[in-house]
Amino acid sequence: MKDMIHCQRDIPRDQLRYGFRASADTGCGWIATYNALRLLGKRAEPEALIRWYERQLPLLHGNTGTIFFAPALFFKHHGFRTRLELRRERFDEVVTQSQCCILFYYWRNKWKLGAHFVALHKTDRGIFGYNTYKNSCAPDPYGDSLAEFLKKRGYFGCVLLGIREEEA
């Protein structure tokens, strides 16, 4: 893959398995990492990312997705400067100070509860996320404030990882 992954459901179910399941079901963590690496201008190999994440929780092997702090461990391990932020009121500051970010959040739809990871970055046209929705096919506009976007969508339990290349 050379481009961004806009929608994990576009990955064929028999390819890029994450544990015993399809990446279309539980792959948002490695996909957010892949997209963040691409936003940083780095080469990314899906198979290598999947192997790295599957080893983080040896008993689960990605079958329940990715634990919220695993992307921070990945980027720190690979020499990037990271900032993990739990306070939503500081998210816009982190987005502005970072080259890109990975957002973890919980969502609820009536009785259904889920969690998701997305990569995002700020441009002069606002904040854009990747792999946000089940039907995403391009970068998703979040507006000028990540905190406001999350509030409007009703997402909760949010954790933001700011990522920058280590300065030489």
Side-chain angles (χ1 to χ4, degrees):
M1 284 185 192
K2 298 177 189 164
D3 298 322
M4 304 296 280
I5 299 172
H6 295 291
C7 183
Q8 71 191 63
R9 292 177 183 259
D10 292 340
I11 298 171
R13 297 186 74 74
D14 61 336
Q15 295 177 18
L16 300 174
R17 305 287 293 179
Y18 191 35
F20 298 118
R21 301 186 63 197
S23 286
D25 298 327
T26 60
C28 61
W30 77 257
I31 291 168
T33 302
Y34 173 90
N35 284 337
L37 286 167
R38 299 297 299 137
L39 287 169
L40 292 162
K42 304 296 182 190
R43 191 167 154 258
E45 294 295 332
E47 295 84 358
L49 293 173
I50 289 168
R51 278 192 308 277
W52 194 89
Y53 279 115
E54 285 178 339
R55 289 186 193 129
Q56 296 312 301
L57 291 173
L59 297 175
L60 298 177
H61 296 293
N63 288 306
T64 59
T66 303
I67 193 158
F68 79 91
F69 59 82
L73 295 176
F74 175 87
F75 281 97
K76 197 74 163 164
H77 177 79
H78 287 89
F80 291 87
R81 293 179 59 200
T82 61
R83 177 177 170 187
L84 206 56
E85 185 59 64
L86 304 170
R87 293 166 290 195
R88 191 182 293 199
E89 64 270 12
R90 293 196 178 166
F91 282 9
D92 292 324
E93 172 189 325
V94 174
V95 170
T96 300
Q97 294 174 351
S98 303
Q99 289 175 274
C100 68
C101 296
I102 292 179
L103 173 68
F104 172 83
Y105 59 88
Y106 288 98
W107 56 267
R108 181 178 332 153
N109 184 358
K110 296 184 182 178
W111 300 106
K112 191 173 182 183
L113 178 68
H116 194 52
F117 284 95
V118 296
L120 59 96
H121 69 136
K122 186 173 186 172
T123 71
D124 57 350
R125 295 178 295 127
I127 300 167
F128 290 87
Y130 298 84
N131 190 36
T132 308
Y133 307 111
K134 292 178 183 178
N135 61 350
S136 294
C137 58
D140 300 302
Y142 290 8
D144 293 323
S145 170
L146 180 59
E148 283 299 313
F149 172 79
L150 296 169
K151 183 178 178 181
K152 285 179 190 172
R153 298 292 302 172
Y155 298 151
F156 61 98
C158 305
V159 179
L160 183 65
L161 171 65
I163 306 163
R164 296 185 60 73
E165 287 194 74
E166 193 68 61
E167 296 170 7

